[in-house]
Amino acid sequence: MRVPLSWLKEYVDITLPVDELEERLTLAGLEVANVEYIGVEPPASVRFKKQIKPGDVVTGNGRIAWDKEKIFVGQVVNVEKHPDADRLTLVTVDYGAEETLTVVTGAPNLKPGDSGQKVAFATAGAMLIDAYADAFKVRKLKPGKIRGILSQGMVCSERELGLSDEHEGIILLPDDAPVGAPLADYLGDVVFDIDITPNMIRIASIIGVAREVAAITGADLHITMPAWQTSPPPADDYADVEIIDDDLCHRYTASIIRDVSVQPSPFWMQHRLKLIGQRPISNLVDVTNYVMFEWGQPLHAFDYDKLLARAKAIGKDKVKIIVRRANDGEKFTTLDGVERTLDADVLMICDEAGPIAIGGVMGGLETEVSDETRNVLLESAAFEFINVRQTAKKLKLPSEAAYRFSRGVPPRLNPIGNVRGAQLMADLGGGDIAQGMIDDYPRPQPVIEVPVTARDVQRWLGIDLSQDEIIDILQRLEFETRVEDDVIWGAAPWYRLDVSITADVLEEIARIYGYDAIPETLLADELPPQRRNWAWELEERLRDILVAAGLQETINYSMTSIENYRKTFPDNPEDAPGPEMFVTLANPLSQERSVMRRCLGVSALENLQRNLRYTDRMAVFEIGLGYRPELGDGVLPKEIRLLAIALTGPREPGDWLQGDDSPIDFFDAKGVLEALFERLGASDDVEYRAESAHIFGPKAAGVYLKGQKIGNVGEVHPKVREAFDLGDRPVALAGLQIAPLIPYIQTKKKLRAISNFPAVKEDIALVVDEAIPAGKVAALIRQTAGANLKDIRLFDVYRGDPIPPGKKSLAFSLTFQSPVKTLTDKDASKLRRKIVGRLSREIGAELREA
Amino acid sequence: MSQHQELIQLQAQAENELADARDEKQLEAWRIKWLGRKGLVPAAVKQIGSLPKEERAAYGQAVNRLKQAVQAAFEARRQQLREDAMAAELYAEGFDPTLPGRRPQIGRLHPSSATMREIAHIFAHMGFEVYTARDVETDEYNFQLLNFPKGHPAREMQDTFHTTVPDVLLRTHTSPGQIRVMRERYPEPIRVILPGKCYRYEQVTARSEMMFHQVEGLVVGKNITFADLKGTLQAFVDQLFGEGRQLRFRASHFPFTEPSAEVDVDCILCGGKGCRVCKYTGWLEILGCGMVHPNVLRNGGYDPEEWSGYAFGMGPERIAMLLHGVDDIRYFFSNDVRFLEQF
Ligand SMILES: [Zn+2]
């Protein structure tokens, strides 16, 4: 909402400097998004201010300040033809100085013989906007000869003053403009652009803002209720009004304005409309807009004679306005010329011949006022706000009127707006007003009294106010108050629909008291029972472990595409989860982000795809949610906390030290998991079973925790790699559900006694069948050796001569240590024999001779 | 030549030869020749026996001096050679300390995680527990129970991703968690923060993302006031941005709080003087907050006549952007390593 200070000052005394007013408004919830300075200098505190020089391009209204010593209100003394140019004239201007000045102009709205017009007159040295540059470029006015005649100044257009794009003619000021006054004093202004929160529709008018300024600053208001002069015959003789659907229309008022002539509005009205951002059209249309911005009441003007003609065409001799729901499929052409098909949720303004307007949203083409209009039926009504909102949205017809109706216009404003609009139309169009107002008011606006006590204020806001202080604040906001024991009953003024409970009143008290004046206190309330969030702590622990393992954390979009899932099923895309397995967005921004991911693996691949353009090595992880509708409860999907790890590229980045640049593979990813389980104390419960999944090639394993599968680790299938454009190197990927790991952070690891007796090392190489997993061999060794086996490390896997085909050799390094005695070589060989014996019996292992 | 002169000559010769010993091997050869069991110095000592008695004492003293001097010279030479050898080894290769070191691969947290962790940490000290709630929500929890009835104009402030299941949507804020935690914890007092992802149906630009994080705070008790809210946020901001920050509470509107406020902190970049980041206002908006609306308390099971509470919400990405001078929010979820590596 654009609010010109000059207009605002008509209703409220403003003594605060502009920047201070801006701050006060903003703190009180009228957020000033921008302040435009029209022809005047911003206050010194405005921090972005910089000296504007010729050649600068400026933006926004109020692009330049008008130099008070160089730009004035002038009066045309006479206009002569330029001796050498048909299109140009010589204009002599009195601008209050001793001598008049003569300038050359091409303005079409000054003709030879004219005199007396008031103009904006710039003398040499004034900074103006270059009217012929594309952008708003600043230039300095210099005297110069135009076709041989010296021009000593300029009569300015709106564009040259930086007011608007208008450059067809020069700006003509009202007749009472004071000659010689600096233009900045006469026309300079400040326009606040205020963002309106949904609860503050009452400030979508200049008077609404004025009331807030008064309440916030304590200044006096000067708002007078509009009055009109009417004459017989009465309005009732011209039309009737009947509201049928009063759930959607709470009041409908109409007045009749007779014998007006359509013409441009006067300067003051046009100027105000321009400042507020509206284009002036004609007096009748401008009045409807003006009253909407002044009071907040949208008006609609019908051409009364067209309504009468429609009535007569169906054999009636009086107009009847009927407010009702549209019939399903009913057709109607709005004033933008578009034929629209309606339904029963749309509220229509009709006459007996059919619809004439969409209530609160847009008028009809047929009954709109035009240049020929003589008599007007002026509508001022109140509609149900949610319905207007839905209609405006459905028909894609946003407008200033619909904006206000869709947030609530109080019925009690209807007659005020109607009187104001009718009188302005009569004044500006030279007509008169029929006696009385036609008013159907089936749903009177309720008066809601809300109780508030000093205790409520203390309990909710933490400030101690006396009853009188509370009443004073409420009265500044024009609440009606009465006191009953310790309860103050406050009724909001008629122009507010947003106050219905005590908290609404408390908010008003806080706002006017000032949020900044409320003290800061530390919570004195009892401390709630404290609980740990183990799921969150686990995530944080996993992050720390993985970061320490050298992995970068990523956070990807939760949305992906089914297409990307299909790519992870290279051999049989039909096995990919179907649409029913996804939470699908009804209004995605793009197909690439149209479903919620089920797991994090696809996100990781998308991520590698983007990054492998810049780097050849990636080691990343993500912790986040997977969304599984099929496991959900009711309409909501199950959300599963997951971890993904993705690794690819050289094991170490290449440099002069020539580290290990062989490609990362399965065992790197598995190693990260092993380290992770080790840190959590879960290693003993984890096993890896050879099994693949759609996304992997043969080098893959299922990860099992206490026999339950919790995830996978493997090398991504080359076809999947190709589909995601990930290059030639292996991509190792692991995915885990993390909830099963929570118990491991809830239990503390127990220290195992550290033995001071010497350790004995034994190496043992075994030849076993290819099919026997190393993990099984190691497990058997552990079981057999018992508590004295402190460490077991697989240090070599060998196939080939002299090992027979179908066999492999596994070499383990075993460390034995006893907590109670020094183990002898004899003890060690005994254990070794025991191990070999058992392995030989159970898996046919043979000791490999060195 | 007197025996004395001979001894002096002998010592001079020993020392000369010692100086020629340039490594362990030569030194050992010298030792055997001079100090070995059959060496020249023991031989000179043995001569005592062949001397007349009266000369023995003087000779003995002289030959002992000789022995000690040669022995000492040998030890010194041996030490010298060791040090020379060590030095030769130490300086054998050229050394350039400016060559890059062998770096372990290091990992990092995502800046959003790091910021959320910092926020959670600060609030943990004030007794706030972390409560996590779901992402995919119902219209009821995301809007209706938070005092956004269907058709309410405030819904327009939050463009929503809907799903193909009616009335199921991606939460537009972490606030539905307020209802969930209240319904779970009633009748206990509550002091929690609710971190998580949120989604808005908005074109992705440098300033707006379709997905972002929020950290919401909720306190419910029998004695919770707007003044407590101000105190809590001041304490938080002092810890996050450094002591002595100015806060500015501006009246605002959120359907689920009343009164509502938006909170600005004095610009951490220009100190309030005005710069591009604070749009020359000197203030940075960092939080929205307010007293929990009575309808919301009631929807959570708490009687607003007896209980009151406050709530606040902030965006970790917004805060990370301010703290690290990031000017484009899209970096956060594109996960470009060139971005992530800088934290
Ligand atoms: Zn700044």
Side-chain angles (χ1 to χ4, degrees):
Chain A
M1 168 86 188
R2 290 171 54 84
V3 180
L5 192 60
S6 60
W7 194 352
L8 189 62
K9 280 180 168 169
E10 197 176 311
Y11 311 110
V12 62
D13 293 338
I14 292 174
T15 48
L16 292 175
V18 170
D19 45 348
E20 215 169 296
L21 181 62
E22 175 195 351
E23 168 97 2
R24 299 283 289 274
L25 288 172
T26 295
L27 291 181
L30 290 78
E31 189 176 352
V32 179
N34 188 32
V35 184
E36 288 172 10
Y37 298 90
I38 313 277
V40 296
E41 290 280 350
S45 72
V46 174
R47 299 169 169 92
F48 57 87
K49 188 193 148 209
K50 58 169 194 207
Q51 205 64 43
I52 287 173
K53 306 179 302 297
D56 286 355
V57 171
V58 289
T59 53
N61 255 351
R63 293 154 175 109
I64 44 168
W66 304 323
D67 190 333
K68 290 191 179 187
E69 319 224 307
K70 298 199 168 67
I71 305 177
F72 304 93
V73 174
Q75 183 163 30
V76 174
V77 178
N78 70 64
V79 181
E80 287 170 34
K81 226 177 90 33
H82 189 292
D84 296 322
D86 287 346
R87 294 261 188 87
L88 299 179
T89 53
L90 309 184
V91 182
T92 304
V93 180
D94 170 9
Y95 64 102
E98 291 195 4
E99 305 273 317
T100 59
L101 286 178
T102 299
V103 301
V104 179
T105 180
N109 53 347
L110 281 184
K111 291 178 222 44
D114 280 356
S115 70
Q117 289 92 339
K118 297 287 175 67
V119 294
F121 185 70
T123 60
M127 298 277 216
L128 295 171
I129 298 295
D130 186 343
Y132 299 99
D134 287 340
F136 275 65
K137 194 185 239 179
V138 178
R139 73 178 182 112
K140 195 174 197 171
L141 182 62
K142 292 185 188 117
K145 283 191 177 175
I146 302 177
R147 295 282 180 108
I149 306 275
L150 182 67
S151 186
Q152 295 172 293
M154 177 176 277
V155 285
C156 303
S157 67
E158 292 195 2
R159 183 174 169 108
E160 281 154 341
L161 293 170
L163 277 172
S164 76
D165 281 344
E166 185 60 50
H167 188 55
E168 265 302 290
I170 58 161
I171 186 167
L172 291 177
L173 302 173
D175 291 344
D176 60 1
V179 174
L183 187 71
D185 291 349
Y186 181 67
L187 211 56
D189 215 331
V190 175
V191 180
F192 295 107
D193 198 345
I194 299 178
D195 286 347
I196 301 177
T197 52
N199 61 327
M200 275 227 193
I201 191 61
R202 66 180 185 280
I203 65 158
S205 66
I206 304 294
I207 284 177
V209 175
R211 290 184 187 118
E212 286 292 322
V213 170
I216 296 162
T217 66
D220 286 338
L221 273 177
H222 313 287
I223 298 170
T224 43
M225 281 296 152
W228 60 9
Q229 283 168 338
T230 60
S231 48
D236 288 342
D237 287 4
Y238 295 85
D240 293 320
V241 172
E242 185 191 356
I243 299 173
I244 291 174
D245 289 312
D246 67 6
D247 56 329
L248 299 187
C249 177
H250 303 158
R251 187 175 197 176
Y252 193 101
T253 69
S255 60
I256 304 291
I257 304 99
R258 293 176 293 228
D259 297 322
V260 289
S261 65
V262 177
Q263 52 190 285
S265 304
F267 178 86
W268 64 267
M269 182 177 277
Q270 290 201 17
H271 183 62
R272 282 185 168 178
L273 288 174
K274 282 179 193 168
L275 285 178
I276 215 158
Q278 294 289 304
R279 183 170 281 274
I281 294 165
S282 71
N283 51 0
L284 298 185
V285 176
D286 291 353
V287 165
T288 60
N289 279 328
Y290 186 84
V291 173
M292 175 169 65
F293 285 106
E294 185 185 45
W295 279 96
Q297 173 68 58
L299 301 175
H300 186 71
F302 294 99
D303 185 319
Y304 176 77
D305 296 309
K306 290 177 186 164
L307 293 177
L308 190 61
R310 282 164 60 93
K312 287 194 167 145
I314 55 165
K316 311 276 175 177
D317 53 5
K318 191 175 173 190
V319 173
K320 182 173 184 188
I321 303 290
I322 299 160
V323 186
R324 61 158 173 86
R325 283 183 162 82
N327 302 317
D328 269 327
E330 198 167 6
K331 299 254 197 289
F332 176 63
T333 304
T334 42
L335 59 81
D336 52 7
V338 179
E339 189 187 68
R340 296 169 193 277
T341 306
L342 310 168
D343 60 57
D345 290 329
V346 178
L347 184 73
M348 298 304 296
I349 313 301
C350 308
D351 60 11
E352 287 172 292
I356 52 175
I358 301 174
V361 175
M362 195 177 245
L365 188 63
E366 194 184 337
T367 57
E368 193 63 5
V369 290
S370 68
D371 288 353
E372 283 75 45
T373 298
R374 302 288 298 166
N375 299 300
V376 173
L377 184 146
L378 184 62
E379 165 201 293
S380 178
F383 303 104
E384 202 280 317
F385 70 95
I386 291 177
N387 179 260
V388 175
R389 224 168 77 84
Q390 284 164 346
T391 300
K393 213 169 168 185
K394 186 161 57 191
L395 300 179
K396 297 192 176 66
L397 283 174
S399 66
E400 289 283 351
Y403 167 73
R404 285 165 177 76
F405 281 126
S406 68
R407 281 166 170 71
V409 168
R412 286 181 62 184
L413 180 57
N414 297 169
I416 297 168
N418 206 326
V419 167
R420 176 67 168 155
Q423 188 63 52
L424 276 171
M425 283 186 184
D427 290 348
L428 305 186
D432 77 333
I433 306 166
Q435 248 171 9
M437 189 179 296
I438 312 160
D439 185 359
D440 193 7
Y441 192 9
R443 296 232 177 165
Q445 182 180 334
V447 175
I448 300 174
E449 271 198 321
V450 179
V452 62
T453 64
R455 189 182 163 272
D456 293 331
V457 174
Q458 163 51 233
R459 189 172 80 89
W460 212 257
L461 304 177
I463 47 174
D464 285 312
L465 293 185
S466 69
Q467 211 169 51
D468 286 346
E469 286 170 309
I470 295 169
I471 290 172
D472 179 59
I473 287 176
L474 293 181
Q475 286 178 348
R476 274 165 72 172
L477 291 161
E478 302 192 294
F479 275 63
E480 297 267 357
T481 58
R482 67 184 174 86
V483 177
E484 208 173 76
D485 300 328
D486 60 344
V487 180
I488 303 160
W489 290 88
W494 62 267
Y495 51 81
R496 294 187 64 160
L497 300 176
D498 61 315
V499 180
S500 55
I501 59 171
T502 303
D504 299 332
V505 176
L506 292 171
E507 175 167 61
E508 291 304 289
I509 293 169
R511 221 164 50 82
I512 300 303
Y513 182 77
Y515 284 16
D516 50 344
I518 296 176
E520 287 161 10
T521 53
L522 291 177
L523 289 164
D525 208 44
E526 80 174 276
L527 192 63
Q530 300 286 295
R531 293 183 183 83
R532 296 177 67 168
N533 183 331
W534 289 106
W536 171 267
E537 287 188 33
L538 173 67
E539 282 186 26
E540 290 288 70
R541 186 83 68 86
L542 294 178
R543 286 191 180 97
D544 286 340
I545 294 170
L546 292 167
V547 164
L551 274 66
Q552 168 69 54
E553 188 190 12
T554 58
I555 300 178
N556 292 293
Y557 284 122
S558 307
M559 305 86 136
T560 180
S561 66
I562 295 186
E563 191 42 48
N564 272 352
Y565 270 87
R566 279 191 215 284
K567 287 186 196 166
T568 67
F569 288 80
D571 292 326
N572 27 2
E574 66 280 4
D575 288 351
E580 74 287 353
M581 301 291 273
F582 289 91
V583 174
T584 304
L585 299 187
N587 56 336
L589 279 171
S590 69
Q591 277 314 302
E592 288 75 54
R593 305 262 172 252
S594 55
V595 297
M596 300 299 276
R597 60 186 181 180
R598 292 178 55 81
C599 64
L600 311 191
V602 168
S603 297
L605 295 182
E606 291 172 13
N607 198 330
L608 297 192
Q609 184 175 28
R610 280 195 300 278
N611 274 296
L612 288 175
R613 278 179 255 150
Y614 318 119
T615 178
D616 61 346
R617 183 181 188 281
M618 290 286 288
V620 294
F621 74 96
E622 178 177 16
I623 294 171
L625 295 175
Y627 306 83
R628 310 268 172 94
E630 78 282 8
L631 302 176
D633 181 18
V635 292
L636 293 175
K638 189 170 173 68
E639 298 182 346
I640 303 176
R641 302 236 149 228
L642 301 169
L643 162 68
I645 292 166
L647 310 167
T648 188
R651 203 154 279 136
E652 288 176 26
D655 58 28
W656 71 282
L657 294 161
Q658 294 172 345
D660 178 3
D661 64 353
S662 54
I664 281 171
D665 62 20
F666 172 87
F667 293 101
D668 293 274
K670 189 186 175 211
V672 173
L673 291 185
E674 284 171 347
L676 187 151
F677 292 131
E678 168 72 37
R679 290 283 290 112
L680 292 173
S683 300
D684 292 348
D685 297 336
V686 175
E687 49 176 327
Y688 301 86
R689 298 186 191 162
E691 61 184 55
S692 192
H694 56 99
I695 197 168
F696 298 120
K699 290 181 185 167
V703 182
Y704 288 78
L705 182 75
K706 292 186 171 167
Q708 293 290 310
K709 184 164 182 189
I710 60 163
N712 291 290
V713 53
E715 286 183 22
V716 170
H717 197 288
K719 288 182 186 167
V720 176
R721 233 165 52 203
E722 202 171 305
F724 282 88
D725 203 9
L726 300 181
D728 300 331
R729 298 188 203 235
V731 172
L733 193 66
L736 289 187
Q737 292 185 30
I738 60 176
L741 297 170
I742 289 176
Y744 295 93
I745 61 163
Q746 291 172 315
T747 45
K748 299 291 174 233
K749 291 185 184 175
K750 289 282 174 289
L751 182 71
R752 281 178 295 205
I754 295 167
S755 168
N756 287 323
F757 294 95
V760 184
K761 283 205 176 203
E762 279 280 324
D763 286 354
I764 183 167
L766 296 154
V767 178
V768 295
D769 281 349
E770 189 64 75
I772 295 181
K776 185 167 186 190
V777 179
L780 279 172
I781 294 175
R782 265 195 214 95
Q783 280 172 26
T784 317
N788 284 347
L789 179 65
K790 279 287 164 278
D791 190 33
I792 170 168
R793 266 163 40 86
L794 178 66
F795 69 89
D796 188 40
V797 179
Y798 178 77
R799 296 178 179 86
D801 196 48
I803 309 296
K807 302 260 184 187
K808 63 190 171 189
S809 157
L810 303 171
F812 293 92
S813 171
L814 311 179
T815 307
F816 298 109
Q817 193 182 28
S818 157
V820 294
K821 63 168 192 169
T822 300
L823 291 181
T824 60
D825 288 350
K826 220 172 124 191
D827 294 326
S829 0
K830 212 170 122 189
L831 276 169
R832 183 189 161 96
R833 274 199 305 279
K834 201 171 144 195
I835 290 166
V836 174
R838 177 154 181 205
L839 290 177
S840 159
R841 276 196 310 281
E842 296 197 11
I843 54 171
E846 285 172 47
L847 197 60
R848 182 179 169 199
E849 301 307 333
Chain B
M1 200 194 285
S2 75
Q3 283 158 334
H4 270 286
Q5 278 168 326
E6 273 174 32
L7 286 179
I8 287 166
Q9 224 167 39
L10 199 65
Q11 183 175 346
Q13 194 189 341
E15 286 174 354
N16 279 340
E17 286 183 24
L18 184 61
D20 290 339
R22 308 224 170 266
D23 57 29
E24 286 285 335
K25 214 173 132 191
Q26 290 171 3
L27 188 68
E28 182 59 12
W30 180 92
R31 191 190 65 80
I32 292 165
K33 177 176 176 188
W34 290 93
L35 296 173
R37 242 185 312 148
K38 292 177 181 164
L40 295 173
V41 174
V45 174
K46 273 183 201 153
Q47 279 185 18
I48 290 181
S50 61
L51 288 176
K53 258 189 180 161
E54 63 279 14
E55 286 177 24
R56 283 185 187 174
Y59 182 82
Q61 276 179 5
V63 81
N64 260 332
R65 271 201 306 275
L66 163 79
K67 190 181 167 187
Q68 277 164 15
V70 171
Q71 195 89 41
F74 167 73
E75 288 302 334
R77 182 66 185 157
R78 184 161 69 174
Q79 185 63 26
Q80 179 67 44
L81 281 179
R82 276 188 189 159
E83 284 188 12
D84 287 354
M86 191 185 285
E89 198 180 317
L90 281 174
Y91 297 100
E93 283 176 48
F95 174 66
D96 176 359
T98 67
L99 284 168
R102 256 182 211 97
R103 292 223 261 179
Q105 294 302 312
I106 53 166
R108 297 168 185 83
L109 290 178
H110 188 281
S112 296
S113 288
T115 310
M116 287 212 283
R117 179 179 279 196
E118 198 173 349
I119 292 168
H121 208 76
I122 294 171
F123 280 109
H125 286 303
M126 296 191 260
F128 286 71
E129 168 197 336
V130 173
Y131 185 93
T132 33
R134 51 180 312 120
D135 278 22
V136 179
E137 266 296 2
T138 58
D139 185 275
E140 185 188 14
Y141 274 82
N142 194 73
F143 288 125
Q144 295 167 46
L145 294 172
L146 292 168
N147 212 26
F148 292 77
K150 287 206 166 176
H152 193 279
R155 285 195 177 201
E156 276 170 18
M157 292 156 73
Q158 303 194 357
D159 281 322
T160 309
F161 278 116
H162 298 279
T163 73
T164 49
V165 178
D167 286 333
V168 173
L169 44 79
L170 307 191
R171 66 175 174 186
T172 56
H173 45 191
T174 44
S175 312
Q178 290 189 18
I179 302 289
R180 294 196 177 274
V181 69
M182 281 193 276
R183 289 188 169 182
E184 186 183 308
R185 297 287 166 85
Y186 179 81
E188 290 176 6
I190 295 173
R191 206 179 288 188
V192 294
I193 59 166
L194 307 136
K197 280 179 175 173
C198 305
Y199 307 84
R200 299 263 171 102
Y201 177 70
E202 275 175 13
Q203 288 306 322
V204 176
T205 68
R207 284 158 169 245
S208 87
E209 252 294 358
M210 59 173 151
M211 183 183 92
F212 54 93
H213 290 90
Q214 267 189 359
V215 177
E216 179 135 349
L218 175 70
V219 175
V220 177
K222 299 229 168 133
N223 183 29
I224 303 295
T225 68
F226 194 88
D228 292 332
L229 169 61
K230 285 188 69 177
T232 304
L233 293 180
Q234 182 72 53
F236 165 68
V237 163
D238 280 346
Q239 290 179 75
L240 186 69
F241 295 113
E243 284 287 316
R245 301 302 338 170
Q246 296 265 333
L247 282 190
R248 184 171 86 155
F249 286 72
R250 281 184 284 112
S252 188
H253 176 71
F254 309 110
F256 45 102
T257 51
E258 190 165 40
S260 303
E262 283 177 313
V263 185
D264 302 332
V265 63
D266 56 330
C267 181
I268 56 171
L269 292 135
C270 65
K273 286 199 288 289
C275 68
R276 198 177 53 81
V277 174
C278 62
K279 298 194 200 90
Y280 302 94
T281 63
W283 296 101
L284 297 168
E285 186 184 326
I286 52 159
L287 276 155
C289 65
M291 297 302 290
V292 181
H293 194 283
N295 294 350
V296 176
L297 281 173
R298 216 173 277 122
N299 291 336
Y302 290 79
D303 177 3
E305 295 298 321
E306 198 185 335
W307 299 84
S308 59
Y310 65 69
F312 55 84
M314 69 192 94
E317 282 84 28
R318 159 101 180 136
I319 289 171
M321 286 170 83
L322 293 173
L323 289 172
H324 301 290
V326 179
D327 58 5
D328 190 333
I329 194 172
R330 288 171 294 194
Y331 281 125
F332 285 85
F333 308 118
S334 61
N335 290 300
D336 185 328
V337 286
R338 299 169 299 175
F339 171 74
L340 297 174
E341 274 169 6
Q342 294 188 40
F343 294 93

